[in-house]
Amino acid sequence: MGNPILVTQSSMPTIEEYINEISSIWDTKWLTNMGNIHKNFEKQLINYLGVPNITLFTNGHLALYIAIKSLELTGEVITTPFTFVSTTHAIVQNGLTPVFCDINHHDYTIDVSKLENLITEKTSAIIPVHVYGNPCDVVKIDKIAKKYNLKVIYDAAHAFGVTLNDKGIGCFGDVSMFSFHATKVFHTIEGGALTFSDKRYVDKFNNLKNFGIISPDDVIEVGINAKMNEFQAAMGICNLRHIDEQIILRKKIVERYYERFHNIKGLKLINFNQNIKSNYAYFPVIFEEKIFGNTRNNIFENLAKENIFTRKYFYPLTNNLECYKGLFNVDETPIAKYIADRVLTLPLYADLSLYDVDNICNIILKK
Ligand SMILES: *Cc1c(COP(=O)(O)O)cnc(C)c1O
């Protein structure tokens, strides 16, 4: 058997390109704390993402944690359970109560028609997720947030480079969080960012990610350490040079999966919103019925036997995790439960060959 095929594979610049980018660090001996490479990378990202402001972090989770802390939220926060654990943990770690809204059947983002019913006197914010890079209904969410005076923080971890009606996805809501983890479309090994319109947040975010220190004698916040270092920023600068080619290669793979699966009864594919530029971050398939006698779990195992490793992403739902046992009820989010029980996310990365894609499809469609 050949090398295993994993659900994703990190994109890498050539080693020469990376060495070239980090070589100045040996002159400056400046390794972290907002150095020149970091500053340069910030500028490039503002340009690429088409956002007014950005602050970089050592990972996406701490960025989200700090966003929530900075907005001084209280009581309840409405979110969805069909996400990576980070979203729910960041709410709970800030001493807030997550209230779970169901997702819609169409693109698996928050079902905006169910939002208003969940708003109480204690609600202070909405934290929706652009699942698989598919933008939420940002217009409706904005309307509801204004009506009830709620903050909106988007978990845009999946949505690097996505635009909606030619506008960068990081421009919506009060704040958006991007993850640059090694498994994401774009990465800085580990890393993350917050993007936002209100310039007043720049200092707040920068202080909180550096222990609240504003000068050698002044510490004005009980902050944490969540700074991005120069080696991470250098990886980001290298990867940003290649991101557009990478997304084109991902698109070809997604098109091949569509070609092979679009008319198979019982297989539901994701609907990409018409007005967006996608980043082709994930290829989720919903096994609504058995495919030639096989369930989602059978197919997961059949692929694993052939050294192909898919992910049940997102399963389990975050309102069904062991660490939150007894606190939430999955029956209150039936569509999320339905999707989580049937979803399989298939291998997708720029270097995946169409030969391998065909092989994966053949195993799934084997009679
Ligand atoms: C990856 C991810 C995060 C967390 O990002 P890290 O950079 O790994 O800390 C948060 N939310 C979602 C939806 C993610 O996929």
Side-chain angles (χ1 to χ4, degrees):
M1 248 191 282
N3 287 333
I5 295 177
L6 306 183
V7 72
T8 189
Q9 186 182 88
S10 301
S11 55
M12 304 272 281
T14 64
I15 191 163
E16 292 78 15
E17 186 178 352
Y18 187 59
I19 287 173
N20 188 41
E21 210 57 51
I22 60 174
S23 64
S24 67
I25 300 173
W26 268 257
D27 302 326
T28 60
K29 310 285 196 290
W30 191 291
L31 310 189
T32 185
N33 286 40
M34 286 68 91
N36 282 335
I37 303 176
H38 180 287
K39 284 183 195 144
N40 191 3
F41 180 43
E42 268 190 346
K43 278 193 203 116
Q44 293 186 19
L45 279 177
I46 281 182
N47 185 35
Y48 187 84
L49 295 173
V51 292
N53 300 289
I54 197 164
T55 308
L56 305 180
F57 293 84
T58 195
N59 61 54
H61 182 72
L62 288 174
L64 185 59
Y65 172 83
I66 286 178
I68 296 170
K69 195 173 168 64
S70 301
L71 268 52
E72 290 165 6
L73 308 182
T74 55
E76 298 172 358
V77 172
I78 300 174
T79 186
T80 55
F82 191 69
T83 182
F84 184 55
V85 291
S86 167
T87 324
T88 305
H89 281 2
I91 295 168
V92 173
Q93 284 162 349
N94 271 287
L96 303 164
T97 305
V99 172
F100 291 101
C101 183
D102 208 357
I103 58 172
N104 72 64
H105 226 293
H106 179 74
D107 60 16
Y108 320 135
T109 63
I110 196 163
D111 184 342
V112 288
S113 72
K114 293 181 181 153
L115 245 174
E116 280 192 90
N117 274 340
L118 296 171
I119 296 173
T120 71
E121 258 152 36
K122 292 188 193 145
T123 310
S124 60
I126 311 169
I127 305 190
V129 184
H130 298 307
V131 183
Y132 306 126
N134 256 330
C136 302
D137 186 343
V138 293
V139 174
K140 192 74 198 282
I141 291 169
D142 186 52
K143 220 173 177 175
I144 294 172
K146 284 217 169 82
K147 182 168 164 195
Y148 294 92
N149 195 23
L150 305 175
K151 299 278 195 244
V152 179
I153 302 174
Y154 284 107
D155 181 332
H158 293 178
F160 188 87
V162 171
T163 63
L164 176 63
N165 297 321
D166 294 325
K167 203 168 163 188
I169 198 68
C171 296
F172 299 94
D174 292 279
V175 186
S176 296
M177 179 277 288
F178 291 89
S179 165
F180 306 151
H181 184 258
T183 53
K184 304 280 153 71
V185 168
F186 170 82
H187 77 89
T188 60
I189 311 168
E190 293 265 7
L194 294 177
T195 63
F196 45 97
S197 311
D198 190 340
K199 241 186 150 56
R200 283 176 304 175
Y201 291 137
V202 175
D203 289 341
K204 185 89 178 166
F205 295 156
N206 283 339
N207 292 345
L208 279 176
K209 77 178 177 190
N210 190 29
F211 302 105
I213 301 173
I214 56 160
S215 80
D217 293 341
D218 296 296
V219 180
I220 59 165
E221 303 249 24
V222 186
I224 54 175
N225 182 4
K227 302 182 297 285
M228 176 179 282
N229 69 50
E230 293 289 274
F231 291 82
Q232 291 173 290
M235 180 60 90
I237 287 177
C238 292
N239 282 336
L240 199 57
R241 282 191 197 112
H242 305 287
I243 185 69
D244 289 335
E245 306 151 37
Q246 298 264 319
I247 290 174
I248 290 169
L249 290 168
R250 284 176 170 273
K251 179 169 192 247
K252 292 211 164 89
I253 292 160
V254 165
E255 283 168 355
R256 180 64 69 104
Y257 274 134
Y258 257 103
E259 224 175 89
R260 296 290 308 269
F261 289 147
H262 78 273
N263 57 2
I264 306 295
K265 193 173 165 292
L267 269 193
K268 180 169 143 52
L269 307 180
I270 191 155
N271 294 299
F272 285 101
N273 189 318
Q274 285 309 301
N275 313 322
I276 71 164
K277 185 178 126 231
S278 177
N279 63 359
Y280 305 97
Y282 298 91
F283 197 79
V285 175
I286 314 300
F287 292 90
E288 297 206 285
E289 296 168 24
K290 285 184 180 174
I291 302 302
F292 305 118
N294 289 312
T295 62
R296 185 267 307 260
N297 289 350
N298 299 143
I299 288 169
F300 176 86
E301 281 156 25
N302 291 346
L303 288 162
K305 274 186 222 139
E306 302 288 337
N307 228 4
I308 296 161
F309 300 96
T310 54
R311 288 275 307 274
K312 297 169 191 173
Y313 197 59
F314 298 103
Y315 170 90
L317 296 174
T318 66
N319 54 1
N320 205 20
L321 297 174
E322 184 65 28
C323 59
Y324 297 127
K325 211 173 180 155
L327 294 177
F328 311 112
N329 182 0
V330 286
D331 295 330
E332 287 170 6
T333 54
I335 294 173
K337 184 171 186 309
Y338 179 92
I339 299 296
D341 286 343
R342 288 163 182 80
V343 67
L344 210 55
T345 303
L346 303 183
L348 173 57
Y349 45 87
D351 292 334
L352 182 67
S353 71
L354 293 179
Y355 174 86
D356 285 334
V357 174
D358 278 335
N359 194 21
I360 292 163
C361 297
N362 292 342
I363 295 166
I364 292 173
L365 301 176
K366 197 155 71 191
K367 289 184 194 171

